[in-house]
Amino acid sequence: MFPKLALYAFALISVVHGQLVGTYQSETHPSLSWQKCTKSGCTNTAGSVVLDANWRWVHTKSGYTNCYTGNTWDSSLCSDNKSCAANCALDGADYFGTYGITTSGNALTLKFITNNSNGKNIGSRVYLMASDTKYQMFKLLNQEFTFDVDLSKLPCGLNGALYFSAMDEDGGMARFSTNKAGAKYGTGYCDSQCPRDIKFINGEANAEGWKPSANDANAGTGNYGSCCNEMDVWEANSISAAYTPHPCDGTQSSRCSGSACGGESDRYGSICDPDGCDFNSFRMGDKSFYGPGLKVNTNSKFTVVTQFITDSGTASGTLKEIRRLYVQNGKIIQNSKVNVPGMSSSYDSITQQFCNDAKAAFGDTDSFSKHGGMAGISKSMANGMVLVLSVWDDHTANMLWLDSNYPTDADASKPGIARGTCSTSSGKPTDVESSAASAQVIYSNIKFGDIGTTYSGTA
């Protein structure tokens, strides 16, 4: 799908992340339970969530002077990347008061806008924890991942995204000795866009070559980016939804530099596939399947089930298919069928052949196959990936790649251009941050286990 040069350029006034640890605010991870399932049943697991380091206040290690204000580094503290990491400390988070993040039992609520004494927080990104210092690692092959979602309050231009990222279990502490904060403070983020708005990578700052964003008062890009395999289980608002694997050439997060990160200078120049192979029901030709009052009715909560099927039917096999189904009001809803010229009408899941045919039918660059396709991302799924839950707006493309016609200057009747019913003038961050200030997404009832064990309902 389209993402985004600065796709994850989330905003919070005067915050950024570093590698040392401050002591001003204690770090207490909100608890979030989830379930492990087998054919014998499901058992509760006591987990928690941690806020991504990109949102946190970072200040001098010996005081409280900001290392980064607005979208600019303090050059006296961050004249180069190594000294910046040595000078700056990453502090704990007030999850509810500052960021609008709350948990209750197995439910996580992420508010889009939170006004607080420090200003206004916009969006958030959290990770599921296995312990106080390690992320929960999910090995997805031959397994099923299920969750409930309520995005009735997410309009055009917003994205409640739940996905897996091939991050280090400890946030990078073992590999990079200058990272003293680790998973406990949400460090080590990476994705298939090789984002260059990440302010500390591999235990060093990303201050050298930093360019403030022209349309985001809190973000910018540095010389480096952070690349890794990404499995978008869910990118959605109340209008459109998509699920998308994004393979990379390696299995571990890696730092890129300059044009090798892709982006505007060379979108397909990185080690990762920025587009992925997406299944968006609207884009695939069924315009009555997902949305307010439709078959999957986004006016109320529903269950999303994703199955990662291997060629051998075992966890040691290679990923061959990603299947999707929904459950709402006790009824199982099979995924929509494809209705696109040049593609089989029997397609209702992601396979390598589906991806090949979709790229050809839409005239898209096939960077998916270039980076190994299904087999490419399968390797990271075998190693284990981190669960990411977020809500955000898009300063690069106004989320039009998800919920409108994209590119906006293309013929909307051409296969693959129409992705949802939102206007091509919608999604501007300045608009949604005002008109959708009360927007939120609720994720709940997370389950993981053997295929066929995490959901129930009638056909």
Side-chain angles (χ1 to χ4, degrees), residues 304-319:
V304 182
V305 182
T306 310
Q307 300 170 334
F308 300 92
I309 299 169
T310 65
D311 54 3
S312 65
T314 68
S316 60
T318 299
L319 181 70

Side-chain angles (χ1 to χ4, degrees), residues 159-394:
N159 190 337
L162 180 151
Y163 56 105
F164 289 99
S165 171
M167 296 163 59
D168 288 357
E169 183 179 26
D170 65 357
M173 289 185 74
R175 282 204 291 155
F176 310 109
S177 61
T178 52
N179 182 349
K180 307 300 183 183
K184 181 176 181 178
Y185 290 85
T187 69
Y189 182 72
C190 56
D191 67 35
S192 64
Q193 309 306 314
C194 300
R196 291 169 58 191
D197 64 321
I198 307 299
K199 299 176 182 68
F200 279 79
I201 304 172
N202 291 8
E204 296 182 4
N206 196 16
E208 296 172 18
W210 186 265
K211 296 179 181 178
S213 170
N215 68 350
D216 188 338
N218 303 286
T221 56
N223 286 339
Y224 295 113
S226 186
C227 309
C228 70
N229 284 271
E230 175 185 355
M231 175 63 225
D232 292 327
V233 173
W234 187 249
E235 291 194 285
N237 52 37
S238 61
I239 304 300
S240 294
Y243 70 105
T244 312
H246 294 263
C248 299
D249 295 341
T251 59
Q252 197 172 39
S253 66
S254 62
R255 188 173 71 173
C256 63
S257 62
S259 61
C261 301
E264 288 182 342
S265 57
D266 181 5
R267 179 166 179 78
Y268 302 105
S270 79
I271 63 169
C272 293
D273 168 24
D275 295 348
C277 173
D278 64 291
F279 196 111
N280 172 332
S281 293
F282 194 98
R283 192 182 190 210
M284 292 300 160
D286 191 336
K287 300 180 179 181
S288 63
F289 183 74
Y290 177 93
L294 300 182
K295 194 168 186 178
V296 177
N297 182 5
T298 58
N299 288 328
S300 60
K301 182 172 69 174
F302 53 89
T303 301
V304 182
V305 182
T306 310
Q307 300 170 334
F308 300 92
I309 299 169
T310 65
D311 54 3
S312 65
T314 68
S316 60
T318 299
L319 181 70
K320 73 169 186 178
E321 183 179 17
I322 308 173
R323 295 202 59 83
R324 163 60 50 81
L325 58 89
Y326 302 88
V327 183
Q328 190 168 37
N329 299 323
K331 295 183 178 180
I332 298 171
I333 304 170
Q334 298 297 330
N335 196 28
S336 61
K337 299 287 188 180
V338 168
N339 181 20
V340 173
M343 297 183 69
S344 170
S345 60
S346 66
Y347 287 151
D348 61 0
S349 65
I350 293 178
T351 64
Q352 187 62 52
Q353 192 60 53
F354 162 86
C355 296
N356 295 344
D357 292 352
K359 297 295 183 182
F362 298 156
D364 291 343
T365 298
D366 190 4
S367 60
F368 183 75
S369 296
K370 174 186 174 183
H371 295 288
M374 299 288 277
I377 197 168
S378 181
K379 297 174 183 177
S380 279
M381 290 184 177
N383 291 342
M385 302 179 81
V386 175
L387 178 62
V388 186
L389 307 101
S390 66
V391 63
W392 57 280
D393 60 354
D394 182 2

Side-chain angles (χ1 to χ4, degrees), residues 66-88:
N66 290 341
C67 290
Y68 180 96
T69 302
N71 56 15
T72 305
W73 292 94
D74 185 324
S75 59
S76 66
L77 296 168
C78 296
S79 58
D80 61 79
N81 292 340
K82 290 185 178 180
S83 65
C84 188
N87 290 334
C88 298

